[in-house]
Amino acid sequence: MQKLLITLFLICCFSLVKAQEIKSPDKNLTLKFWIAESGIPTYQLSYKNKQVIKPSKLGIETKDVPSMLEGFTLSNAEQKSVDESWNPVLGEVKTIRNNYKELLVTLTQKAEKDRYIRIRFRLFNDGLGFRYEFPEQKNLNYFIIKEEKTQFALNGDHKAFWLPGDFDTQEYSTVTSNLSEVRGKMKEAVTPNASQTTFSPTGLQTPLMLKSKDGLYINIHEAALVNYSTMSLDLDDKNFILSSFLTPDAVGDKGYMQSPGQSPWRTVIVSDKATDILASKLVLNLNEPTKYKDVSWIKPIKYVGVWWEMITGKSTWAYADVESVQLGVTDYKKLKPNGKHAANTAHVKEYIDFAAAHKMDAVLVEGWNEGWEDWFGKTKDYVFDFVTPYPDFDVKELHRYAASKGIKMMMHHETSSSVRNYERHIDTAYKFMVENGYNSVKSGYVGNIIPRGEHHYGQWLIDHYLFAIKKAADYKIMVNAHEAVRPTGLNRTYPNLLANEAARGTEYESFGGNNVDHTTILPFTRLIGGPMDYTPGIFQTKISAYNPENTSFVHSTLVHQLALYVTMYSPLQMAADLPETYNKFLDAFQFIEDVAVDWDDTKILEAEPGDYITIARKAKNKNEWYIGGISDEVPRTATINFSYLPKGKTYVATIYADGKDASYDKNPQSYAIRKVLVTSKSVLKQAMAAGGGVAISIKAEATAADKKLQKL
């Protein structure tokens, strides 16, 4: 008996010394973990026997206690399998499957009085998630992170779709190049922004999209970013190793931790099909279920707003042309109005009328409140109070008028990055919203952060963004945060976070223009973490039509703009152009009026990052399908199948297509609309212009009156 126990003990010890291995449920992915020389935690990942991540080190470097980098032994390893499903409050599909194999390892540092940490790995069919966990214990309580030392050692010089690493902005144009070319292209890639702090000539942001020479699509990001600094990546361009690089605070520290605690999940999505990257729900699955018992107040929103006319320079946010104002001191009734202030009662009513006529849900108004005259670039603490309107903006009357038309008003809280000021006023601001019929808010964080020295992506701001979201939930308010950190799937846990900006949006079309391939890349990068308020729907692509001094133009066709409502997922979608323009193209605007913003099902029909995307989606609780296809600067033909339609039935499809002479730069407003009959066996070959697209609505079964229509 004693010999048997000794034998079992030795077998157990041997199993802990050798590499731990798990496979994804479909067996395509293999994760290996082991303790390398000097007691360094190490992992590697393969897909269908191709290396995705070569042996890579793990660990945490600390400032005030001995680091958690080496000297580890593997003291325990546990495995389990999970296969369950859950329903998002708002989403691309009705039901999400959460199916993974888990490996939880306990690592002990004998030299540090048996201090231990855990690393939890979850291997899905679409990729890997792992995080550090810090259990409560006598020898690990409070500690300061100097740097997280997570590596992603790549198997070659991959093609990358990258943004410069920055602690304050993601509003750069995506660069497409091999990793070996990053250093040489970095200077040109770093373009001016209202707030920016780069950190390395090879620093990169996540989500980082990669394509290997052997045909693997790889996406590296993080999930469930809570009480921790945002992770960027620093590239060793000789060995193609990416290392985590956390955002520091004002004194250079990268995280203040207390056990029990944990890091966000580090994620690696991988497939040999680009469409699988877009279909992945790995980031959402790594987030916690919703914290709210009642979610009935959380609704998708399609809206118009007083915004684009200011972005183009046609109108202003400010009421008066003065250089300096002080809240509570400046008497706006004594100032001369500049005559270009858009947020006035009569003008806003025009937007409300348009919204009501075209079945929109809400109207956003920016520039309604005092303080816009000197709001930017002054590092001004008390910049807005979020409750005091300009003299020409009647809050009560607009609430009454909008309610009479069945329209909600959408609040705007620009903070000018004076975060301390916003937190002082946030309860008062949210109460004001509730009292005046607002149930959603667009917040903004333009400029350098106050407290000075903090960064948009540091731990202090991460805590603030979540504070604002949770505080909004107390008042049943939905949030659309601009200039905040890029999302990491927290909309599952806090579904009143409808969308973020956190990327170069449509506004840049008025600031010189986005690259033509921009929206064929964003779903593979920025949208991996969550929905974006991209603000599509620009029909007047020449900005000079609104402001003769602005020669920018939108780098897409009108039909491309329609397709974005399908290809750029968000439960919050804006029809961003001016009503006066939409009234000239009401036949095309019909697609925006019809298209859903919340979905039961999604099919990624075809995709290649930087080139094209075609997606079909089924509207929530309706037997309606909408298809969107977009192309880059190269004209191409989209191949669209309809196999997802119910078999044995015929439907009427309305096709919004680029005109034969359309192109983004020469004839963007050329389009054609036609109706055809489709079944589950139909296949459409549809030409898309340079910077063009296609949009299709399928709303009803064919009737006898439709028999004359062409059959596909």
Side-chain angles (χ1 to χ4, degrees), residues 40-60:
I40 298 173
T42 307
Y43 79 104
Q44 71 177 30
L45 181 68
S46 61
Y47 177 81
K48 295 182 179 179
N49 298 317
K50 293 180 179 180
Q51 278 193 321
V52 179
I53 304 294
K54 298 195 298 184
S56 298
K57 299 176 182 179
L58 300 169
I60 304 289

Side-chain angles (χ1 to χ4, degrees), residues 601-615:
D601 200 5
T602 291
K603 306 293 183 183
I604 314 298
L605 303 183
E606 54 180 2
E608 181 64 27
D611 292 337
Y612 57 87
I613 296 173
T614 307
I615 297 176

